[in-house]
Amino acid sequence: MRTYAGHSSARESNELYRRNLAKGQTGLSVAFDLPTQTGYDPDHELARGEVGKVGVSIAHKGDMHALLDGIPLDEMNTSMTINATAAWLLALYMTVAEENGVDRRALQGTTQNDIIKEFLSRGTYAFPPEPSMRLIADMIAFTVDEVPKWNPINICSYHLQEAGATPVQEIAYALSTAVAVLDRVRPRVPEETFPRVFGRLSFFVNAGIRFVEEHAKLRAMGLLWEELGRERYGVEDPKLLRFRYGVQVNSLGLTEAQPENNIIRIVLEALAVTMGRDARARALQLPAWNEALGLPRPWDQQWSLRIQQILAFETDLLDYPDIFEGSKVMDGLVDELIEGARAEMAVVAERGGAVEAVPYMKTQLVESHRERVRRIEAGELKVVGQNVYTEHEPSPLQEGEDGGIMRVDAAVERSAIEAVGEWREGRDAAAADRALEELRAAAADEETNIMPATLAAARAGLTTGEWAAALRDVFGEYRAPTGVSDAAAAESDEELDDLRERVERVSESLGRRIKILVGKPGLDGHSNGAEQIAVRARDAGMDVVYEGIRLTPARIARTAVDEGVHVVGLSILSGSHAELIPTVLEELREAGADVPVVVGGIIPKADEEALLAAGVARVYTPKDFQVSRIMGDIVELVAQHHGAAAAA
Amino acid sequence: MQSTPDEIGRRLRERDRSAAPAALNLIEDRTPRGREATARLLAEVSPAALGGEAPAHLIGVTGPPGAGKSSLLSALVSVWRERGRTVAVLAVDPSSKRSGGALLGDRARIEHDPRDDGVLIRSTAAGGRLGGLAAATREAAEALAAAFDLVVVETVGVGQSETDVEEVCDTVVVVVQPQSGDVLQFLKAGIMEVPDVLVVTKADLGAPADRARRDLQQAVGAVGAGRVPVLAVSSLPPGSGVEELADAVDAHRAALDADQRRPRSRRMSALRELTAEHGERALRALGGRREAERLLAGQDPRTGTAELVALLERSIEA
């Protein structure tokens, strides 16, 4: 039982962890900020506005010491949501243990470390696919003997569902990822060790609101996993064949409208992963009711923790053996999912496996997500409070001074920038240089395990940004496929036809086709929203410049001007809009671009007003679920702004 | 701050980079109003106004999808910038969708420093234009040639390009990846014209890239173009062959007589644009293609394409 937590500085997060442990939480789940997740120090240009935002900033072992201060590491189970830089953060964790006199063999916990889903959904990758897979393989090969209680990788189907995956896709792509990882590790460990490697793999699964089917999904995954272990890898020990998974229930289905209803959704989703003992989650993590509004406060997280405690201690949920044993309905559902997943796994295998099939899977997810969005827009998929039963009383939960969300002080970033500078000044420079050289050499040699050099770098006081920069030098930078180009054109319907006609009219009046730049400033990699906007804008007949994630404000302004766009659409979900959006506006003004800017994302009401005052033309939040309406709005905006004669 | 087309043209002639986006916006405007403005703009950067052919090197880069053109261009752009040369890239996207809309730049993100004024990237869709694309691309290249040292026109396809941009370019570079046998077959069968430089990407793969390079060298030799350089490059760090490619492109330009080639390509463009606009009937009205070519050949070699088209149109009416 734990809640995903961490924000601003290591010291503040440490206090939060201690409070949560005192309330009965039994482990830690560390959220890192985006610069830490993508391998940039707080003083890097791309880190601007992101430091301490969605999690804690950890730039070196000193920060890690502060984060874990007073927490007994040999007793703690620590889950770290870290992927591209997982090897580095584990090295920092191990270094802190070592310097506190704790044997690394006693360390327990999990590093998420699933890079495929970063390419597909979450976007916090740092290196190209091949070297990324090597880092994962190195970590697994290292920990299996050196840190034997550690789960070096937690393969995530969670984010696939957030990106729109159907249950079949979720099962198939997660298991295909596992196959890719296992195949990559196999030659790097002795044959007799390999079954233990198989046993160390764990999963991080999503549970959506269709909780009966979701329970079936978990049973299906367990059966397929065992089959895979036996048949493909020859694992025989039933303990090693067990499908071990943790859960964070669905955030995609949480609504901004009438957000108090989310608590009910969360309870039902929690049931999906706890109902039947044969497929019960090993660890459960519940989101807060107000995630669609902004960062949750400690009180919101406490509420989620209490759900788990009530389920576990008040209900009779845990009193029985598997309650679905012999159920025809459940077995039928499970069989159907297994069959579908097998077929989809075969498609991925045909394309050369999960790494090679990233573009294919990405396109499939973009399509599935589009279908979901379409069904909600059309009212086929009912979401209470959003597209049905929308009338409501004012919510007392959102009346507090903070508007019902938590805010991170901007001073956090300033002090982190100063602190990392001081840290670099204060360390033994010669030792740091030596460690950096060794790291480069290890990275350049495919046969060498990266972990020992990474540990040496952590001990020598290198920073997160330095570690990642050295690896970027050797491995190169990478940009994941967006999936939007290959997304099929939308089926024609009345609304779309009408929209197309308006786009044509305004385009003719402008003399050239409406051109829109869709971009994601900052480090936030959650690109689903931006992708849906890009695809729909194309379907509506616009020329769309979509440059994907991780754009600096300067880059956005330059592209807007050079590409001659009529409107700029920015998407941001990391909570850094207050810093980044005004910077983009400023850069645009400096570049002499006279284009309206629209913004979409998780943006609290108060911030919305500030953004509009700063010069943003429109702000869209999750309650604006009708993409067609947003498009119509944009067409009108372009017509007005550029004085197109034909009013939209 | 709205500038007149003449002013924009003048600023380009003075190598003012900040005029380029506005120029491209005008050129893409295919309404009568836009055409008229474009004609005035182009008159300011025509060889007559410049006092000779634009000094820029016009380079066409083409190849099948997935050949690695964007990564290669990212690497090339940085080599060119290190050599102190300014670069404009016109990326022509092949997408042509029922809706008329297109996703641009998605596959073709060329990495560069956004604060560097020596680089400009512009993408356009080939499909569903409100007018001919070839003309717009040609005009864009002509306009940018006044303000940049290098103008790259990037297109997708092999051999039979839909855009005919090659005729505008001084140097045509075809980019293929090792596994693509098509190009080899096209070359052997004579379906594809031999480019000025052939590039095999993904040299980091080692043997397959090397084999592909040798096969292609042999194929161009077999059709009597053995002098055409065939290079293997890798855009992955540490990278290889990119400097050599930049050198090969330069060498081709150095050996080229631009005063000969460009007027000829403008005459070809004028004829093609005339028939695209008015059909084959226009050619017959001029007494056939040969007669039209003769008419064009008699003009001052510094006459711009748009003026040549206008001249042909006047001759039809007369």
Side-chain angles (χ1 to χ4, degrees):
Chain A
M1 285 182 207
R2 51 195 173 200
T3 47
Y4 182 46
H7 65 84
S8 31
S9 67
R11 198 168 309 279
E12 283 190 53
S13 294
N14 176 261
E15 283 167 25
L16 176 68
Y17 296 158
R18 293 206 210 190
R19 274 203 305 275
N20 286 350
L21 290 170
K23 281 181 202 158
Q25 187 169 304
T26 52
L28 295 182
S29 173
V30 184
F32 296 97
D33 71 356
L34 290 169
T36 306
Q37 292 186 49
T38 49
Y40 296 104
D41 283 335
D43 51 0
H44 190 280
E45 186 187 5
L46 271 168
R48 185 163 173 183
E50 308 276 16
V51 177
K53 264 307 150 47
V54 300
V56 60
S57 165
I58 299 291
H60 44 72
K61 68 172 180 180
D63 285 343
M64 192 61 107
H65 268 293
L67 183 76
L68 302 170
D69 185 32
I71 294 171
L73 294 188
D74 44 353
E75 295 165 24
M76 199 45 49
N77 188 312
T78 306
S79 163
M80 297 198 255
T81 300
I82 197 74
N83 296 279
T85 54
W88 173 246
L89 270 301
L90 177 61
L92 290 178
Y93 191 83
M94 286 165 64
T95 302
V96 167
E98 189 177 281
E99 291 177 357
N100 287 342
V102 175
D103 184 359
R104 64 167 77 148
R105 294 173 172 281
L107 297 179
Q108 284 185 63
T110 306
T111 31
Q112 194 166 76
N113 211 9
D114 170 5
I115 205 69
I116 303 274
K117 67 92 175 53
E118 296 296 331
F119 295 135
L120 291 177
S121 163
R122 198 165 164 273
T124 66
Y125 51 81
F127 318 113
E130 264 310 312
S132 298
M133 292 300 284
R134 175 207 159 179
L135 288 183
I136 293 171
D138 280 353
M139 253 179 101
I140 297 173
F142 179 86
T143 52
V144 71
D145 287 321
E146 296 287 320
V147 201
K149 291 194 220 161
W150 197 265
N151 299 305
I153 182 169
N154 202 15
I155 291 166
C156 300
S157 78
Y158 174 81
H159 307 83
L160 304 179
Q161 184 175 124
E162 296 293 315
T166 62
V168 163
Q169 288 171 333
E170 197 184 327
I171 302 171
Y173 299 164
L175 293 182
S176 297
T177 298
V179 168
V181 169
L182 287 165
D183 288 355
R184 194 75 163 75
V185 187
R186 209 174 192 176
R188 290 178 105 83
V189 295
E191 205 183 317
E192 63 277 13
T193 312
F194 191 72
R196 278 195 291 125
V197 167
F198 185 89
R200 289 294 349 143
L201 258 62
S202 60
F203 290 79
F204 185 54
V205 179
N206 204 329
I209 192 72
R210 290 172 55 82
F211 72 105
V212 178
E213 186 185 30
E214 290 292 78
H215 185 71
K217 176 184 81 186
L218 291 161
R219 299 173 88 89
M221 283 182 102
L223 292 170
L224 279 170
W225 181 241
E226 194 183 324
E227 178 184 297
L228 204 62
R230 280 189 202 285
E231 289 176 11
R232 188 180 176 100
Y233 298 109
V235 180
E236 277 154 20
D237 183 346
K239 248 174 58 199
L240 298 177
L241 283 166
R242 239 185 66 216
F243 179 67
R244 300 182 311 134
Y245 75 97
V247 179
Q248 155 105 7
V249 307
N250 184 292
S251 289
L252 181 67
L254 301 187
T255 61
E256 181 189 3
Q258 302 177 37
E260 62 280 3
N261 296 338
N262 291 332
I263 217 68
I264 299 147
R265 296 191 176 98
I266 292 166
V267 172
L268 293 172
E269 290 164 353
L271 279 178
V273 296
T274 49
M275 281 191 303
R277 200 173 69 179
D278 283 0
R280 187 166 289 153
R282 207 170 44 90
L284 178 59
Q285 199 167 283
L286 300 178
W289 65 284
N290 55 352
E291 273 196 0
L293 305 173
L295 270 187
R297 301 158 297 184
W299 180 84
D300 306 312
Q301 297 195 321
Q302 172 190 304
W303 203 9
S304 292
L305 179 61
R306 295 292 182 249
I307 296 174
Q308 299 187 52
Q309 290 165 332
I310 292 169
L311 279 176
F313 304 126
E314 293 189 21
T315 74
D316 56 351
L317 192 68
L318 305 181
D319 295 351
Y320 313 107
D322 190 73
I323 58 173
F324 291 106
E325 202 184 311
S327 158
K328 278 186 196 156
V329 175
M330 188 52 75
D331 288 349
L333 267 175
V334 171
D335 287 347
E336 220 173 274
L337 289 170
I338 285 182
E339 210 172 295
R342 275 204 193 108
E344 190 61 15
M345 284 175 77
V347 175
V348 172
E350 253 170 50
R351 287 173 183 263
V355 179
E356 293 286 319
V358 162
Y360 163 77
M361 295 191 286
K362 179 68 188 178
T363 302
Q364 297 304 108
L365 293 177
V366 169
E367 299 243 354
S368 295
H369 193 51
R370 183 171 65 185
E371 175 62 10
R372 182 189 145 82
V373 171
R374 186 198 66 75
R375 291 182 63 217
I376 294 177
E377 278 186 72
E380 289 168 30
L381 191 68
K382 292 190 171 40
V383 183
V384 172
Q386 184 165 313
N387 64 359
V388 287
Y389 311 113
T390 52
E391 53 295 317
H392 63 97
E393 303 295 334
S395 160
L397 281 176
Q398 288 172 272
E399 275 172 3
E401 260 175 44
D402 51 9
I405 51 160
M406 144 119 198
R407 285 177 186 281
V408 175
D409 189 351
V412 166
E413 183 160 320
R414 283 195 299 276
S415 60
I417 290 173
E418 271 170 39
V420 76
E422 281 165 22
W423 175 269
R424 287 194 207 104
E425 293 294 308
R427 71 189 172 195
D428 177 348
D433 287 348
R434 257 196 321 276
L436 202 56
E437 269 322 297
E438 275 167 40
L439 179 66
R440 273 182 220 278
D445 178 16
E446 157 80 22
E447 298 307 311
T448 302
N449 191 309
I450 199 87
M451 283 310 290
T454 296
L455 268 166
R459 288 188 200 110
L462 287 192
T463 65
T464 303
E466 289 167 333
W467 178 82
L471 265 53
R472 281 190 168 99
D473 275 352
V474 179
F475 297 153
E477 300 251 8
Y478 179 70
R479 181 171 173 254
T482 63
V484 295
S485 290
D486 296 321
E491 292 297 315
S492 207
D493 64 36
E494 216 173 286
E495 205 174 9
L496 190 60
D497 289 346
D498 175 56
L499 191 58
R500 279 180 189 166
E501 213 190 292
R502 286 154 72 192
V503 170
E504 286 304 315
R505 261 207 322 266
V506 175
S507 297
E508 266 169 40
S509 162
L510 291 168
R512 57 192 184 105
R513 193 164 288 287
I514 298 181
K515 200 172 184 183
I516 180 174
L517 168 65
V518 179
K520 288 190 62 66
L523 289 174
D524 169 33
H526 293 86
S527 53
N528 305 331
E531 283 151 11
Q532 291 304 315
I533 293 287
V535 170
R536 191 68 67 92
R538 178 205 65 187
D539 289 344
M542 301 184 204
D543 278 349
V544 185
V545 180
Y546 179 59
E547 295 202 303
I549 63 170
R550 246 179 255 180
L551 305 174
T552 61
R555 164 103 197 196
I556 291 168
R558 176 40 64 90
T559 303
V561 173
D562 285 357
E563 290 284 1
V565 300
H566 297 103
V567 56
V568 174
L570 303 175
S571 159
I572 201 160
L573 279 90
S574 63
S576 54
H577 48 265
E579 291 80 15
L580 284 174
I581 303 291
T583 315
V584 174
L585 293 173
E586 201 177 296
E587 293 272 359
L588 280 168
R589 266 193 293 273
E590 263 174 42
D594 175 31
V595 287
V597 173
V598 302
V599 176
I602 297 179
I603 292 164
K605 192 77 197 153
D607 291 4
E608 182 176 333
E609 280 151 26
L611 289 178
L612 292 171
V616 169
R618 301 273 192 283
V619 174
Y620 303 104
T621 64
K623 72 175 182 307
D624 303 299
F625 62 92
Q626 282 174 308
V627 185
S628 295
R629 194 171 291 174
I630 295 177
M631 285 298 138
D633 219 28
I634 290 174
V635 175
E636 195 177 332
L637 188 66
V638 168
Q640 278 170 9
H641 191 88
H642 298 279
Chain B
M1 35 140 241
Q2 290 282 2
S3 304
T4 65
D6 317 66
E7 270 166 37
I8 295 173
R10 223 167 14 246
R11 280 164 59 204
L12 283 178
R13 207 171 60 217
E14 287 155 11
R15 304 182 75 76
D16 174 0
R17 186 245 189 242
S18 70
L24 296 169
N25 291 351
L26 271 187
I27 289 166
E28 283 177 15
D29 184 341
R30 307 310 282 175
T31 61
R33 178 192 68 208
R35 306 306 311 133
E36 141 76 23
T38 302
R40 282 165 54 201
L41 184 155
L42 290 177
E44 292 291 332
V45 292
S46 73
L50 291 171
E53 294 298 332
H57 185 182
L58 300 176
I59 304 164
V61 174
T62 185
K69 291 186 294 299
S70 304
S71 314
L72 177 61
L73 273 174
S74 297
L76 259 178
V77 165
S78 73
V79 166
W80 282 326
R81 292 302 295 135
E82 277 164 25
R83 296 180 179 186
R85 303 165 78 183
T86 59
V87 193
V89 179
L90 290 166
V92 181
D93 206 285
S95 355
S96 121
K97 291 278 164 8
R98 196 170 23 158
S99 67
L103 277 156
L104 306 170
D106 177 36
R107 291 197 183 87
R109 181 153 131 184
I110 297 164
E111 294 301 336
H112 65 103
D113 175 4
R115 303 210 184 266
D116 178 5
D117 276 338
V119 181
L120 178 138
I121 317 274
R122 176 83 164 208
S123 43
T124 37
R129 289 289 90 191
L130 310 164
L133 168 94
T137 307
R138 195 252 315 143
E139 290 166 355
E142 282 181 7
L144 294 172
F148 287 85
D149 297 335
L150 297 152
V151 177
V152 177
V153 181
E154 185 203 356
T155 54
V156 179
V158 188
Q160 66 294 0
S161 161
E162 313 114 58
T163 54
D164 295 311
V165 288
E166 287 89 343
E167 74 183 28
V168 184
C169 294
D170 304 319
T171 305
V172 175
V173 180
V174 167
V175 182
V176 296
Q177 57 177 339
Q179 297 88 344
S180 64
D182 293 3
V183 172
L184 196 63
Q185 298 310 324
F186 287 171
L187 273 173
K188 281 183 180 163
I191 296 170
M192 180 183 146
E193 276 198 43
V194 179
D196 303 313
V197 179
L198 254 168
V199 177
V200 182
T201 53
K202 306 181 185 174
D204 51 293
L205 295 180
D210 203 43
R211 194 177 326 119
R213 197 191 61 75
R214 269 179 288 135
D215 288 350
L216 284 169
Q217 190 77 68
Q218 208 171 21
V220 292
V223 294
R227 284 175 303 113
V228 167
V230 183
L231 292 102
V233 303
S234 166
S235 321
L236 280 183
S240 65
V242 183
E243 298 269 354
E244 290 82 349
L245 173 58
D247 292 342
V249 168
D250 279 350
H252 179 264
R253 174 71 172 81
L256 187 85
D257 186 354
D259 287 337
Q260 275 275 314
R261 176 155 172 158
R262 288 208 187 142
R264 197 173 58 227
S265 82
R266 280 196 293 275
R267 293 199 290 269
M268 279 161 64
S269 298
L271 276 180
R272 194 168 37 73
E273 282 164 33
L274 180 83
T275 48
E277 187 75 24
H278 305 285
E280 292 290 326
R281 237 177 355 161
L283 274 186
R284 285 199 293 277
L286 287 167
R289 180 175 289 273
R290 251 165 219 285
E291 196 53 42
E293 278 173 8
R294 207 163 305 149
L295 178 67
L296 291 174
Q299 303 302 313
D300 181 343
R302 289 181 179 181
T303 314
T305 315
E307 286 165 68
L308 292 176
V309 176
L311 174 92
L312 291 171
E313 286 172 337
R314 278 201 303 278
S315 309
I316 295 171
E317 282 159 20

